Amino acid sequence: MPRRSDIKLTKRVVDALRVEKNDAVFWDRELAGFGVRVYATGRKVYLVQSRGPWGPRRVTLGRHGELSCDEARKQAALVIDRIKRGEEPEPRPPEAELTVASLAGRFMRDHAGTRCKPDTAATYRSLIENHVEPALGGMALEEVGRAEVAALHHALRETPVTANATLGLLSKMFRMGEAWGLVPTGSNPCRGLRRYRTPKRERFLTQEEFRRLGRALRDLEEAGRTWAPAVAAIRLLALTGCRRSEILDLHWDDVDHTTGEIRLKEAKAGPRMVPLTAPVKRVLEGVPRSPDNPWVISSGNGRGRLGSLSYYWEVVRERAGLDDVRIHDLRHSYASRALALGESLSAIGRLLGHRHVVSTARYAHLMREAEKAAAARVGESIGVHVKSRGK
């Protein structure tokens, strides 16, 4: 039988109970057999222990917060009475141990599934399935410390981008765990771990490379060697500076010819408008359209949207001789061309849909190069008239 206690369990008392390391049970002084188990993570679970005709029984009632102390006391009295009479107490099943895998499941269901865009959720799912769960999934949350997270980060050092993304995801998972009351506040094991430095990759297409890209698209299109909507998607990426997901997610209803704009409802930084320029209009006019399919970039069967451009881009860049160019570099090249034409960083930020100016600041060095070139042209023009004698 549980020992008698000198405390009466009330909401205020249970809220204040803490343990440093191992979990402990605190019993109520008035109702023998009624207690609460307190874990080092801060989780608290009401339980009953009593003896009946067939020996002692221990029953879990529910978690503090989901079950009030008064409700737990009433349930405990009924359960104790049933145990003493030899009846089944009808307990709740024991709570499953809180592991990294269970936290990941809740994170995907309650956060990524409701707050994140599909592409982001898919990235999280891939990181969890390929890296987080194999390394840490079976560990209890309270067992995961900086050493365990650092070991996982180090194991992925050959792919620093993936390593950093995994660390960022774990940190976000534990922050959500704190908000949900699953781990103590301030216990995030990712705090203070340094991420690997990753080289910034900047690749901008030259005017000649844009010509080669256009020629490759036309040749493949005329030969019927690639899917026409995929060719249109690549052209739209080059002409708008949009992200790949923004073009693939585009509906025909998003194209507003009256206002001359494309509405991006699912843009990364929130809904925004993209100017419907004459070249963009020409591309859209050439896209096959089905009355039963709302997507601009349709799939091969014509019943949904195209899932990926990776295969088509490989074909196009091989034909154009642009082996080191990623499809995302079309966005960078759009910004580079805008700077070369004299657009300001703030204007380019609006064109690209950047929420923060720091995102556009990466192109500042290109602006300085454009300013130097402009200064050289102006200087040459004026220098004709004010040059030194004999020079």
Side-chain angles (χ1 to χ4, degrees):
M1 288 294 294
R3 292 181 297 137
R4 287 275 184 174
S5 171
D6 58 355
I7 62 173
K8 178 181 178 180
L9 296 181
T10 63
K11 180 182 184 304
R12 179 178 296 179
V13 169
V14 175
D15 284 343
L17 292 175
R18 298 285 186 276
V19 292
E20 292 295 327
K21 293 183 178 179
N22 299 324
D23 59 280
V25 177
F26 297 84
W27 301 101
D28 184 66
R29 75 175 180 220
E30 294 187 355
L31 180 58
F34 172 49
V36 61
R37 182 182 295 277
V38 180
Y39 295 84
T41 61
R43 186 165 56 108
K44 300 165 185 178
V45 180
Y46 292 108
L47 54 84
V48 162
Q49 183 171 310
S50 187
R51 181 179 293 275
W54 293 280
R57 299 286 299 272
R58 178 171 284 197
V59 179
T60 298
L61 298 176
R63 182 176 173 180
H64 176 61
E66 298 175 358
L67 184 67
S68 73
C69 190
D70 290 340
E71 290 170 342
R73 183 182 295 278
K74 292 176 183 177
Q75 288 188 22
L78 294 173
V79 170
I80 291 170
D81 180 62
R82 292 179 66 86
I83 291 175
K84 289 184 179 298
R85 286 190 282 119
E87 299 176 3
E88 284 298 318
E90 299 179 357
R92 292 186 182 186
E95 281 196 350
E97 185 179 34
L98 290 172
T99 63
V100 173
S102 61
L103 174 61
R106 180 166 178 182
F107 176 85
M108 290 303 301
R109 183 183 67 251
D110 296 348
H111 178 74
T114 59
R115 303 286 298 277
C116 298
K117 297 183 185 301
D119 287 349
T120 302
T123 299
Y124 286 159
R125 186 176 297 106
S126 176
L127 292 173
I128 288 171
E129 292 176 353
N130 294 316
H131 306 296
V132 174
E133 287 189 344
L136 306 174
M139 296 182 65
L141 295 181
E142 56 202 38
E143 295 175 340
V144 180
R146 288 187 63 187
E148 288 72 25
V149 176
L152 172 57
H153 192 229
H154 181 72
L156 298 171
R157 63 190 180 280
E158 297 299 327
T159 52
V161 173
T162 300
N164 292 342
T166 302
L167 179 62
L169 170 60
L170 270 171
S171 182
K172 186 170 292 187
M173 283 170 50
F174 274 91
R175 286 201 304 272
M176 295 306 301
E178 291 180 4
W180 292 327
L182 304 180
V183 294
T185 301
S187 65
N188 191 333
C190 305
R191 183 173 289 120
L193 291 177
R194 295 185 64 181
R195 304 190 180 196
Y196 293 117
R197 295 184 64 178
T198 55
K200 291 185 178 180
R201 187 182 185 282
E202 292 183 340
R203 176 68 164 87
F204 308 102
L205 272 68
T206 64
Q207 191 167 340
E208 172 56 27
E209 287 174 329
F210 268 120
R211 290 195 189 98
R212 282 156 46 193
L213 173 62
R215 188 163 52 245
L217 290 170
R218 288 191 297 274
D219 291 347
L220 291 168
E221 190 174 37
E222 292 170 1
R225 288 188 51 198
T226 192
W227 182 236
V231 172
I234 293 171
R235 285 190 173 120
L236 290 173
L237 289 172
L239 290 168
T240 64
C242 287
R243 300 175 179 88
R244 177 170 23 185
S245 61
E246 293 169 347
I247 294 301
L248 291 179
D249 288 337
L250 193 63
H251 287 65
W252 285 111
D253 288 345
D254 299 330
V255 181
D256 191 336
H257 289 276
T258 302
T259 61
E261 293 177 320
I262 297 174
R263 294 186 296 270
L264 298 180
K265 294 177 288 192
E266 299 296 331
K268 182 177 180 180
R272 68 185 181 95
M273 300 294 190
V274 173
L276 187 58
T277 62
V280 171
K281 283 183 181 180
R282 286 195 293 271
V283 172
L284 292 173
E285 288 168 358
V287 177
R289 183 170 181 176
S290 169
D292 300 325
N293 190 356
W295 305 96
V296 174
I297 309 302
S298 62
S299 62
N301 59 23
R303 291 195 294 269
R305 86 158 173 83
L306 190 64
S308 172
L309 286 171
S310 298
Y311 165 76
Y312 303 103
W313 178 246
E314 289 294 328
V315 174
V316 170
R317 75 175 186 175
E318 181 180 355
R319 180 67 176 241
L322 302 173
D323 295 338
D324 64 333
V325 177
R326 306 167 304 167
I327 198 166
H328 192 69
D329 292 331
L330 296 178
R331 180 171 165 86
H332 297 323
S333 300
Y334 181 88
S336 173
R337 182 61 64 91
L339 277 168
L341 293 173
E343 298 297 335
S344 67
L345 282 178
S346 59
I348 292 170
R350 290 192 296 273
L351 287 172
L352 296 180
H354 286 160
R355 181 180 296 171
H356 304 294
V357 68
V358 68
S359 300
T360 317
R362 64 182 300 176
Y363 302 112
H365 71 285
L366 296 178
M367 172 163 277
R368 288 193 291 273
E369 293 300 321
E371 289 171 351
K372 290 178 183 178
R377 290 194 299 270
V378 173
E380 288 292 333
S381 174
I382 297 175
V384 172
H385 307 291
V386 298
K387 64 182 180 180
S388 301
R389 181 178 298 175
K391 298 291 183 102

